[in-house]
Coordinates of all heavy atoms in Angstrom, one line a residue:
H446 N -42.4 58.1 -10.8 CA -43.1 58.0 -12.0 C -42.3 58.5 -13.2 O -42.8 58.2 -14.4 CB -44.4 58.8 -11.9 CG -45.3 58.4 -10.7 ND1 -45.6 59.2 -9.7 CD2 -45.8 57.2 -10.5 CE1 -46.3 58.6 -8.8 NE2 -46.5 57.4 -9.3
T447 N -41.2 59.2 -13.1 CA -40.5 59.6 -14.3 C -39.6 58.5 -14.8 O -38.7 58.0 -14.2 CB -39.6 60.8 -14.0 OG1 -40.4 61.9 -13.5 CG2 -38.8 61.3 -15.2
E448 N -40.0 58.1 -16.0 CA -39.3 56.9 -16.7 C -37.9 57.3 -17.1 O -37.7 58.4 -17.7 CB -40.1 56.4 -17.8 CG -39.6 55.1 -18.5 CD -40.5 54.7 -19.6 OE1 -41.5 55.3 -19.9 OE2 -40.1 53.7 -20.3
G449 N -37.0 56.5 -16.8 CA -35.6 56.8 -17.3 C -34.8 57.6 -16.3 O -33.6 57.9 -16.6
Y450 N -35.4 58.1 -15.2 CA -34.6 58.9 -14.3 C -34.0 58.0 -13.2 O -34.8 57.3 -12.5 CB -35.5 59.9 -13.6 CG -34.8 60.7 -12.5 CD1 -33.6 61.4 -12.8 CD2 -35.3 60.8 -11.3 CE1 -33.0 62.2 -11.8 CE2 -34.7 61.6 -10.3 CZ -33.5 62.2 -10.6 OH -32.8 63.0 -9.6
F451 N -32.7 58.0 -13.1 CA -32.1 57.1 -12.0 C -31.2 58.0 -11.2 O -30.6 59.0 -11.6 CB -31.3 56.0 -12.7 CG -30.1 56.4 -13.5 CD1 -28.8 56.3 -12.9 CD2 -30.2 56.9 -14.7 CE1 -27.7 56.7 -13.6 CE2 -29.0 57.3 -15.4 CZ -27.8 57.2 -14.9
V452 N -31.0 57.5 -9.9 CA -30.2 58.3 -9.0 C -29.0 57.5 -8.5 O -28.5 57.7 -7.4 CB -31.1 58.8 -7.8 CG1 -32.0 59.9 -8.2 CG2 -31.8 57.6 -7.2
A453 N -28.6 56.5 -9.3 CA -27.4 55.7 -8.8 C -26.2 56.5 -8.6 O -25.3 56.0 -7.9 CB -27.2 54.6 -9.9
N454 N -26.0 57.7 -9.3 CA -24.8 58.5 -9.2 C -24.9 59.5 -8.1 O -24.0 60.4 -8.0 CB -24.5 59.1 -10.5 CG -24.0 58.2 -11.6 OD1 -23.3 57.2 -11.2 ND2 -24.4 58.3 -12.8
L455 N -26.0 59.5 -7.3 CA -26.1 60.5 -6.2 C -25.1 60.2 -5.1 O -25.1 59.2 -4.5 CB -27.5 60.4 -5.6 CG -27.8 61.4 -4.5 CD1 -27.7 62.9 -5.0 CD2 -29.1 61.1 -3.8
K456 N -24.2 61.2 -4.9 CA -23.2 61.0 -3.9 C -23.2 62.1 -2.8 O -22.5 62.0 -1.8 CB -21.8 61.1 -4.5 CG -21.6 60.2 -5.7 CD -21.6 58.8 -5.3 CE -21.3 57.9 -6.5 NZ -21.4 56.4 -6.2
Y457 N -24.1 63.1 -3.0 CA -24.1 64.3 -2.0 C -25.6 64.7 -1.8 O -26.3 65.1 -2.8 CB -23.3 65.4 -2.6 CG -23.0 66.5 -1.7 CD1 -21.9 66.6 -0.9 CD2 -24.0 67.6 -1.6 CE1 -21.6 67.7 -0.1 CE2 -23.7 68.7 -0.7 CZ -22.5 68.7 0.0 OH -22.3 69.7 0.9
L458 N -26.1 64.6 -0.6 CA -27.5 64.9 -0.3 C -27.5 65.9 0.9 O -26.8 65.8 1.9 CB -28.3 63.7 0.1 CG -29.7 63.9 0.6 CD1 -30.6 64.4 -0.5 CD2 -30.2 62.6 1.2
V459 N -28.4 66.9 0.7 CA -28.6 68.0 1.8 C -30.1 68.0 2.0 O -30.9 68.2 1.1 CB -28.1 69.3 1.4 CG1 -28.4 70.4 2.4 CG2 -26.6 69.3 1.1
I460 N -30.5 67.9 3.3 CA -31.9 68.2 3.7 C -31.9 69.5 4.5 O -31.4 69.5 5.6 CB -32.4 67.0 4.5 CG1 -32.3 65.7 3.7 CG2 -33.9 67.2 4.9 CD1 -32.7 64.4 4.5
D461 N -32.4 70.5 3.9 CA -32.4 71.8 4.5 C -33.7 72.1 5.2 O -34.8 71.8 4.7 CB -32.1 72.9 3.5 CG -31.7 74.2 4.1 OD1 -31.5 74.3 5.4 OD2 -31.6 75.3 3.4
E462 N -33.6 72.6 6.5 CA -34.7 73.0 7.3 C -35.7 71.8 7.4 O -36.8 71.8 7.1 CB -35.5 74.2 6.7 CG -34.6 75.4 6.6 CD -35.4 76.7 6.2 OE1 -36.6 76.8 6.7 OE2 -34.9 77.5 5.5
A463 N -35.1 70.7 8.0 CA -35.9 69.4 8.2 C -37.1 69.7 9.0 O -38.1 69.0 8.8 CB -35.0 68.4 8.8
D464 N -37.0 70.5 10.0 CA -38.2 70.7 10.9 C -39.3 71.4 10.1 O -40.5 71.0 10.3 CB -37.8 71.6 12.1 CG -37.1 72.9 11.7 OD1 -36.6 72.9 10.6 OD2 -37.0 73.8 12.5
R465 N -39.0 72.3 9.2 CA -40.1 73.0 8.4 C -40.7 72.0 7.4 O -41.9 72.0 7.1 CB -39.6 74.2 7.6 CG -39.3 75.3 8.5 CD -38.9 76.5 7.7 NE -40.0 77.0 6.9 CZ -39.8 77.9 5.9 NH1 -38.6 78.5 5.7 NH2 -40.9 78.3 5.2
I466 N -39.9 71.1 6.8 CA -40.4 70.1 5.9 C -41.4 69.2 6.6 O -42.4 68.8 6.1 CB -39.2 69.2 5.4 CG1 -38.3 70.0 4.4 CG2 -39.7 67.9 4.7 CD1 -37.1 69.3 4.0
I467 N -41.1 68.7 7.9 CA -42.0 67.9 8.6 C -43.2 68.7 9.1 O -44.3 68.2 9.0 CB -41.2 67.4 9.9 CG1 -40.2 66.4 9.4 CG2 -42.2 66.7 10.8 CD1 -39.2 65.9 10.5
H468 N -43.0 69.9 9.4 CA -44.2 70.8 9.8 C -45.2 70.9 8.7 O -46.4 71.1 8.9 CB -43.6 72.1 10.3 CG -44.7 73.0 10.7 ND1 -45.5 72.9 11.9 CD2 -45.2 74.2 10.2 CE1 -46.4 73.8 12.0 NE2 -46.2 74.7 11.0
K469 N -44.7 70.9 7.4 CA -45.6 71.1 6.3 C -46.2 69.8 5.8 O -46.9 69.7 4.8 CB -44.8 71.7 5.2 CG -44.5 73.2 5.4 CD -43.8 73.9 4.2 CE -43.7 75.3 4.4 NZ -44.9 76.1 4.5
G470 N -45.9 68.7 6.6 CA -46.6 67.5 6.3 C -45.9 66.5 5.4 O -46.5 65.6 4.8
F471 N -44.6 66.7 5.2 CA -43.8 65.9 4.3 C -43.0 64.8 4.9 O -42.0 64.3 4.3 CB -42.9 66.7 3.4 CG -43.7 67.6 2.4 CD1 -43.7 69.0 2.6 CD2 -44.4 67.0 1.4 CE1 -44.5 69.8 1.7 CE2 -45.1 67.8 0.4 CZ -45.1 69.2 0.7
E472 N -43.3 64.5 6.2 CA -42.5 63.5 6.9 C -42.5 62.1 6.2 O -41.5 61.5 6.0 CB -43.0 63.3 8.3 CG -42.2 62.3 9.2 CD -42.6 62.2 10.6 OE1 -43.6 62.9 11.0 OE2 -42.1 61.4 11.4
E473 N -43.6 61.6 5.8 CA -43.8 60.3 5.1 C -43.1 60.4 3.8 O -42.5 59.4 3.3 CB -45.2 59.9 5.0 CG -45.9 59.6 6.4 CD -45.2 58.6 7.2 OE1 -44.7 57.6 6.6 OE2 -45.0 58.7 8.4
D474 N -43.3 61.5 3.1 CA -42.6 61.7 1.8 C -41.1 61.6 1.9 O -40.4 61.0 1.1 CB -43.0 63.0 1.1 CG -44.4 63.1 0.6 OD1 -45.1 62.0 0.8 OD2 -44.8 64.1 0.1
M475 N -40.5 62.2 2.9 CA -39.1 62.2 3.2 C -38.6 60.8 3.4 O -37.6 60.3 2.9 CB -38.7 63.1 4.4 CG -38.7 64.6 4.0 SD -37.6 65.0 2.6 CE -36.1 64.4 3.2
K476 N -39.4 60.0 4.2 CA -39.0 58.6 4.5 C -39.0 57.8 3.2 O -38.1 56.9 3.0 CB -40.0 58.0 5.5 CG -39.8 58.6 6.9 CD -40.8 58.0 7.9 CE -40.7 58.5 9.3 NZ -41.6 58.0 10.3
A477 N -40.0 58.0 2.3 CA -40.1 57.3 1.0 C -38.9 57.7 0.1 O -38.3 56.8 -0.5 CB -41.4 57.6 0.4
I478 N -38.6 59.0 0.2 CA -37.5 59.5 -0.7 C -36.2 58.8 -0.3 O -35.4 58.3 -1.1 CB -37.4 61.0 -0.6 CG1 -38.5 61.6 -1.4 CG2 -36.0 61.5 -1.2 CD1 -38.7 63.1 -1.2
L479 N -35.9 58.8 1.0 CA -34.6 58.2 1.5 C -34.5 56.8 1.2 O -33.4 56.3 1.1 CB -34.6 58.5 3.1 CG -34.4 59.9 3.5 CD1 -34.5 60.1 5.0 CD2 -33.0 60.5 3.0
K480 N -35.6 56.1 1.2 CA -35.6 54.6 0.8 C -35.2 54.4 -0.6 O -34.6 53.4 -1.0 CB -36.9 54.0 1.1 CG -37.2 53.8 2.6 CD -38.6 53.2 2.9 CE -38.8 53.1 4.4 NZ -40.2 52.5 4.6
L481 N -35.6 55.4 -1.5 CA -35.3 55.3 -2.9 C -33.9 55.7 -3.3 O -33.5 55.5 -4.5 CB -36.3 56.1 -3.7 CG -37.8 55.6 -3.6 CD1 -38.7 56.5 -4.3 CD2 -37.9 54.2 -4.3
L482 N -33.2 56.5 -2.4 CA -31.9 57.0 -2.7 C -30.8 56.0 -2.4 O -31.0 55.2 -1.4 CB -31.7 58.3 -2.0 CG -32.6 59.5 -2.3 CD1 -32.3 60.7 -1.5 CD2 -32.6 59.8 -3.8
P483 N -29.7 56.0 -3.1 CA -28.6 55.1 -2.7 C -28.0 55.4 -1.3 O -28.0 56.6 -0.9 CB -27.5 55.3 -3.8 CG -27.9 56.7 -4.4 CD -29.3 56.9 -4.2
T484 N -27.5 54.4 -0.6 CA -27.0 54.6 0.8 C -25.5 55.0 0.8 O -25.1 55.6 1.7 CB -27.2 53.3 1.6 OG1 -26.5 52.3 0.8 CG2 -28.7 53.0 1.7
T485 N -24.8 54.8 -0.3 CA -23.4 55.2 -0.4 C -23.3 56.6 -0.8 O -23.0 56.9 -2.0 CB -22.7 54.2 -1.4 OG1 -23.3 54.3 -2.6 CG2 -22.7 52.8 -0.9
R486 N -23.6 57.5 0.1 CA -23.5 58.9 -0.2 C -23.1 59.7 1.0 O -23.0 59.2 2.1 CB -24.9 59.4 -0.6 CG -26.0 59.3 0.5 CD -27.3 59.9 0.2 NE -28.1 59.9 1.4 CZ -28.9 59.0 1.8 NH1 -29.0 57.8 1.2 NH2 -29.6 59.2 3.0

Side-chain angles (χ1 to χ4, degrees):
H446 304 118
T447 299
E448 186 178 356
Y450 176 55
F451 69 101
V452 288
N454 287 323
L455 180 66
K456 307 295 182 184
Y457 190 95
L458 173 67
V459 177
I460 303 173
D461 195 6
E462 299 189 39
D464 52 343
R465 288 186 66 188
I466 291 175
I467 293 169
H468 180 70
K469 289 184 174 293
F471 291 110
E472 182 178 357
E473 295 302 321
D474 288 2
M475 284 302 305
K476 290 179 180 179
I478 289 169
L479 292 171
K480 289 179 181 178
L481 295 172
L482 299 180
T484 56
T485 56
R486 65 173 191 270

